Amino acid sequence: MTRKRENTSFQCEKCGAEVIRLTNGSYRNHCPYCLYSKHLDNTPGDRLSEYKGLMKPIALDYSAKKGHQILHQCVKCKKAQKNKVATDTVQEDNIIQLMYQLQLK
């Protein structure tokens, strides 16, 4: 599957928000509002995961190469993976919401 085909709009399965595709040249794999993702891939882009569970945002990380990244964990199998925060686009990620959620833990 090409990145162009992955960059599509979708409805968030967690909060129901309508999520539009990214306009910054990247692709979106999580909701910009609740920041949940979905466990679709075993390796990036393959869409072969058998779990298809929601992936909960559990941490925020920073890398000099990739910038801010959200650490997601599958609620079914517990696999964790990082995803870049969406910036410079129509629907930017609400990382302030994530930082607030993490402080409440």
Side-chain angles (χ1 to χ4, degrees):
M1 182 175 286
T2 65
R3 292 287 190 211
K4 187 174 183 178
R5 287 181 63 199
E6 290 177 19
N7 189 22
T8 60
S9 300
F10 61 92
Q11 184 171 11
C12 177
E13 288 186 27
K14 175 66 177 174
C15 72
E18 289 296 325
V19 180
I20 60 173
R21 67 179 191 82
L22 286 182
T23 58
N24 65 3
S26 188
Y27 70 99
R28 182 180 302 281
N29 65 356
H30 56 271
C31 176
Y33 304 107
C34 70
L35 302 174
Y36 270 72
S37 184
K38 186 164 182 168
H39 190 179
L40 297 175
D41 299 341
N42 290 326
T43 58
D46 69 9
R47 298 298 189 246
L48 296 176
S49 172
E50 63 187 79
Y51 298 101
K52 308 290 190 245
L54 287 175
M55 294 192 77
K56 181 179 180 176
I58 60 171
L60 186 63
D61 192 26
Y62 181 80
S63 156
K65 282 187 173 184
K66 295 188 176 186
H68 284 96
Q69 295 178 293
I70 302 168
L71 179 63
H72 288 102
Q73 185 174 47
C74 180
V75 298
K76 289 185 176 181
C77 74
K78 305 302 181 203
K79 178 181 179 178
Q81 64 188 35
K82 292 180 184 177
N83 296 292
K84 289 184 357 181
V85 169
T87 59
D88 299 324
T89 188
V90 176
Q91 285 180 326
E92 291 190 344
D93 287 345
N94 187 356
I95 61 171
I96 293 172
Q97 173 70 20
L98 176 60
M99 294 182 342
Y100 177 74
Q101 289 171 347
L102 293 173
Q103 287 177 342
L104 294 177
K105 287 184 177 180

